[in-house]
C-alpha cells in the first residue's frame, strides 16, 4: 500500500499529483484553480483536489515528494551571484526574500500547507530526475534512452539517461549557464514574447522566416558540439546577473534592441525565429544521436520544457534515430510533480513496472476534476441559465455537430480536465477545420488577438494518415507533421502576393489546403489523434462530425481567452462563454446557446477580459 503525493512549485506551473498503489489517481496544475496563469505558488488547491479525489486526508499519505532539490538550486544562485558580483546584486536581492522566507524551508512549508497533519518524510528528487521519470515510467517502452532539456533545474540544463524496467539512471548532464532552453528563451525575449510562455509563439513564427542567422548564432553565441552539448558565449547574455535575457552586445549582433511586445513583428524577428528553431532542432538531433550511442536503446523518451517544441519532435521522429519516441503531455515543470511521484513508486519502492501500449498509467492525461450532470444542473438552475438537457448522447452529438458544421464556435466541456498545457478535448473550443473564416473568427471573437498561428487539429486516430504525413498516434498534440500533398491548394498569383504581405495575419489567412484553419504556412499541423479508449465522447463527436460532413478533422483550441488559464469548472466555462463570442456551450449533456443568454454589458465584458494579463 503506498499513497504518494508529488509536488512541483516555486518556479512556474506549480502542480500536484496523487498516486495510490501504483495508480495515478489525480493530477492538476494550480493555475486552473487560482485562475492565475503559470501560478508558481505552493499548489494548495491542487493538493486539496488530489486528496479529495483519492478520498484521503494528509495524515493518510505515506510519502510526499518535491520535484527538485532547493538547496542545490540555492547553491547555484549563490555561486552565480559571486561569479558576477557586484553585477547582479539587484536580481539577487529581488530573489532573496522568497528564498529566505519559503524556499529554504520547504519541509516546513509543505507541512504547514498540509495543516501540520503530515508527519512522515519528505523526499526531494533531482529536477532532471523528475523530468526523466515523467518521461520514462508512463511510456510504453520497457527500455529507452531518456533526454531531458529545459531552461535550468538546480545546476543542470539537460540530461541523457537510460530507463529499463522500474529504474532510470542519468548518465550525463549539461550544466548551467549553458542551456538550450535558456538559449531559446533568450530569443523569445529578444523577439518580444514573454519568456516561459511565448516560446510557442516563437516556434509558430519560425515558418515565416529564413534561417539566415544560423551561422552567426553558431559562430558567436554558442559552440554546438557533435554530442549536442553546448558552450554559450556569456558575453551576449544577461540572465546570470541581470533582469533581462540578453544584453547590448546581443543587440549589436542582431542590429538593434529587442522588439517591444505589442509592436509589429518584422522580417528580422521571423528570420531570428527560423534561425533559432533550426539551431534548436540541430542540437536536439545531436543529443538524441548521442543518447542512442550511449544507451543502445531503440526508443527515446523526452521531457523538460524543450520537449514541448513539437516541431523539433516531429523532425526527430522523421530522422528515424529511434524506432519511436514518447513525450509526456505535462513535459514542462508541472510534470515534475508526476515524475517525482513515479520516481518514489518505481525507483525507491521498487514496485514492478509493466509497460504496455494502452496508456494505462496516465490515461490520456485526463487526470483533473470532472463535474456530473447533476452538479452542472444545480449551477445552471441557481443562476437561471437557459439551457437544453440531452440525456441521449446521440442527440447531444447530433446537435453539437449541426452547430459546428454551421460554422458556429462551440465550447466543449467534458469529463476530467487535462493535466499539462494542451487542451485535449475535455476543456476545448472546437470548430469546423474546413471553414475559411474560422481562423480569423476564433482569433478575434474568442481569443481577442490577431494571431499569425493557425489552430491545432484533432483527428480520428484511424484517419491520421488520410490527412497528414504521419503514420502513428499523437494523442498529446506533441508532434508536428505535414498536411498531405493532395489536400494542399495551388496558390493563385494574388494569394502568392498575399503570402509576402508584411502583415502576417494576411499570410495566415491564405487558403493553403482543404483544411485551412489548421494548416500552417509551411503546410504543417500540430496534430492530436483521438481514439475511443482514451477520449470517449470526444472521439464519438468527431466520428459524428465525419458522418455528417465527410471530414474526420476538427479544430481544437484551448478553452480560455488570451492570458486566462484553461477553464476548470462549469462556472469558469460559463463566464468565458458569456465574455467571448462563443456561439454554443456544451457542458456534459447540457447545451447552451448564446442567442438565449442574457446580454452581457460591455463594461462587464471588459472587466472580465481585463482580469487576465496578456501573455
Ligand atoms: Fe524543468
Amino acid at each position: 500500500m503506498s499513497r504518494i503525493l508529488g509536488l512541483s512549485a516555486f518556479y512556474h506551473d506549480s502542480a500536484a499529483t496523487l498516486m495510490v498503489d501504483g495508480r495515478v489517481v489525480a493530477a492538476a496544475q494550480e493555475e486552473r484553480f487560482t485562475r492565475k496563469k503559470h501560478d508558481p505558488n505552493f499548489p494548495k488547491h491542487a493538493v486539496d483536489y488530489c486528496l479529495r479525489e483519492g478520498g484521503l486526508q494528509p495524515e493518510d499519505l505515506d510519502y510526499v515528494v518535491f520535484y527538485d532539490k532547493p538547496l542545490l538550486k540555492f547553491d547555484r544562485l549563490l555561486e552565480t551571484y559571486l561569479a558576477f558580483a557586484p553585477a547582479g546584486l539587484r536580481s539577487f536581492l529581488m530573489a532573496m526574500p522568497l528564498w529566505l522566507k519559503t524556499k529554504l524551508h520547504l519541509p516546513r512549508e509543505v507541512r504547514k500547507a498540509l495543516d501540520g497533519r503530515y508527519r512522515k518524510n519528505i523526499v526531494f528528487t533531482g529536477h532532471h530526475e523528475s523530468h526523466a521519470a515523467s518521461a520514462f515510467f508512463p511510456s510504453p517502452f520497457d527500455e529507452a534512452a531518456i533526454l531531458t532539456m529545459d531552461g535550468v533545474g538546480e545546476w543542470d540544463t539537460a540530461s541523457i539517461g537510460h530507463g529499463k524496467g522500474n529504474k532510470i539512471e542519468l548518465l550525463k548532464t549539461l550544466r548551467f549557464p549553458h542551456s538550450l532552453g535558456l538559449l531559446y528563451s533568450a530569443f523569445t525575449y529578444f523577439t518580444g514574447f514573454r519568456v516561459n510562455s511565448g516560446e510557442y509563439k516563437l516556434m509558430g513564427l519560425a515558418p515565416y522566416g529564413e534561417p539566415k542567422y544560423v551561422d552567426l548564432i553558431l559562430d558567436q553565441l554558442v559552440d554546438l558540439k557533435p554530442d549536442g552539448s553546448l558552450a554559450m558565449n556569456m558575453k551576449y547574455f544577461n540572465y546570470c546577473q541581470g533582469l533581462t535575457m540578453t544584453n547590448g552586445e546581443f543587440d549589436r549582433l542582431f542590429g538593434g534592441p529587442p522588439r517591444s511586445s505589442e509592436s509589429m513583428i518584422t522580417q528580422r524577428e521571423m528570420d531570428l525565429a527560423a534561425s533559432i528553431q533550426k539551431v534548436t532542432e540541430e542540437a536536439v538531433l545531436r543529443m538524441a544521436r548521442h543518447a542512442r550511442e550511449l544507451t543502445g536503446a531503440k526508443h527515446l523518451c523526452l521531457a523538460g520544457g524543450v520537449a514541448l517544441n513539437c516541431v523539433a519532435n516531429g523532425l526527430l521522429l522523421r530522422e528515424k534515430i529511434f524506432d519511436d519516441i514518447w513525450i509526456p503531455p505535462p513535459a514542462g515543470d508541472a510534470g515534475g510533480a508526476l515524475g517525482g511521484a513515479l520516481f518514489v513508486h518505481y525507483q525507491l519502492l521498487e514496485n514492478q513496472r509493466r509497460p504496455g501500449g494502452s496508456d494505462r498509467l496516465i490515461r490520456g492525461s485526463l487526470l483533473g476534476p470532472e463535474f456530473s450532470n447533476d452538479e452542472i444542473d444545480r449551477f445552471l438552475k441557481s443562476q437561471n441559465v437557459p439551457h437544453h438537457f440531452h440525456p441521449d448522447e446521440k442527440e447531444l452529438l447530433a446537435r453539437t455537430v449541426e452547430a459546428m458544421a454551421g460554422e458556429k464556435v462551440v465550447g466543449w466541456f467534458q469529463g476530467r480536465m487535462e493535466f499539462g498545457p494542451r487542451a485535449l478535448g475535455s476543456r476545448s473550443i472546437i470548430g469546423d477545420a474546413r471553414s475559411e473564416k474560422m481562423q480569423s473568427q476564433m482569433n478575434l471573437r474568442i481569443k481577442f488577438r490577431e494571431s499569425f498561428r493557425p489552430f491545432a487539429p484533432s483527428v480520428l486516430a484511424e484517419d491520421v494518415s488520410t490527412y497528414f504525413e504521419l503514420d502513428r498516434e499523437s494523442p498529446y498534440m506533441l508532434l508536428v507533421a505535414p498536411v498531405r500533398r493532395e489536400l494542399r491548394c495551388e496558390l493563385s498569383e494574388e494569394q502568392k502576393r498575399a503570402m509576402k504581405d508584411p502583415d502576417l495575419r494576411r499570410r495566415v489567412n491564405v487558403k493553403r489546403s482543404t483544411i485551412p484553419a489548421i494548416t500552417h504556412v509551411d503546410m504543417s499541423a500540430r496534430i492530436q489523434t483521438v481514439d475511443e479508449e482514451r477520449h470517449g465522447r470526444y472521439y464519438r463527436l468527431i466520428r459524428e462530425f465525419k458522418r455528417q460532413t465527410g471530414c474526420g478533422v476538427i479544430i481544437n483550441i484551448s478553452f480560455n481567452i488570451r492570458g486566462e488559464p484553461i477553464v476548470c469548472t462549469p462556472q469558469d466555462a460559463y463566464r468565458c462563454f458569456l465574455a467571448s463570442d462563443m456561439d454554443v456551450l456544451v457542458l456534459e449533456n447540457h447545451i447552451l446557446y448564446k442567442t438565449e443568454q442574457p446580454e452581457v454589458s460591455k463594461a462587464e465584458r471588459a472587466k472580465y477580459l481585463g482580469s487576465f494579463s496578456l501573455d
Side-chain angles (χ1 to χ4, degrees), residues 123-274:
V123 181
F124 292 88
T125 47
H127 188 100
H128 282 265
E129 222 162 37
S130 305
H131 278 316
S134 77
F136 176 66
F137 291 128
S139 80
F141 314 132
D142 180 51
E143 183 184 1
I146 308 167
L147 186 54
T148 67
M149 302 163 291
D150 65 3
V152 57
E154 297 128 8
W155 275 103
D156 295 333
T157 62
S159 79
I160 292 176
H162 182 224
K164 191 166 169 37
N166 63 356
K167 289 275 181 297
I168 58 170
E169 187 189 358
L170 300 194
L171 306 171
K172 216 172 168 178
T173 60
L174 184 65
R175 306 253 302 172
F176 182 83
H178 310 294
S179 163
L180 186 55
L182 290 174
L183 178 67
Y184 205 86
S185 291
F187 281 85
T188 305
Y189 164 81
F190 191 72
T191 48
F193 301 111
R194 189 178 282 190
V195 170
N196 287 333
S197 70
E199 281 74 10
Y200 243 73
K201 296 184 189 171
L202 189 64
M203 185 182 78
L205 187 62
Y208 291 100
E210 287 297 320
K212 58 194 264 192
Y213 298 112
V214 168
D215 290 344
L216 192 60
I217 294 172
L218 292 177
D219 285 346
Q220 295 292 323
L221 296 186
V222 57
D223 178 10
L224 180 61
K225 316 265 194 223
D227 65 359
S229 64
L230 35 100
M232 290 166 68
N233 185 348
M234 296 313 292
K235 182 175 119 186
Y236 295 101
F237 301 94
N238 198 31
Y239 56 77
C240 285
Q241 68 273 44
L243 299 173
T244 57
M245 293 298 293
T246 58
N247 61 21
E249 293 284 341
F250 196 101
D251 297 356
R252 273 187 284 284
L253 201 59
F254 296 108
R259 181 181 76 96
S260 64
S261 62
E262 295 297 309
S263 68
M264 183 90 171
I265 293 170
T266 68
Q267 195 59 45
R268 179 184 74 153
E269 282 77 48
M270 299 174 222
D271 295 341
L272 285 169

Side-chain angles (χ1 to χ4, degrees), residues 63-128:
Y63 300 92
V64 171
V65 48
F66 192 79
Y67 86 130
D68 72 5
K69 297 182 192 283
L71 291 182
L72 263 183
K73 201 163 166 178
F74 190 69
D75 178 59
R76 190 235 316 155
L77 208 75
L78 268 182
E79 273 203 34
T80 309
Y81 167 66
L82 291 174
F84 286 86
L89 182 62
R90 210 169 131 225
S91 69
F92 185 76
L93 289 178
M94 271 173 74
M96 271 314 100
L98 190 60
W99 274 100
L100 296 178
K101 200 170 141 254
T102 306
K103 295 187 192 178
L104 283 176
H105 310 284
L106 260 179
R108 188 187 73 194
E109 290 300 309
V110 169
R111 289 183 204 285
K112 203 166 83 190
L114 293 169
D115 303 327
R117 289 160 65 188
Y118 176 76
R119 292 170 202 279
K120 293 169 210 154
N121 285 338
I122 298 171
V123 181
F124 292 88
T125 47
H127 188 100
H128 282 265

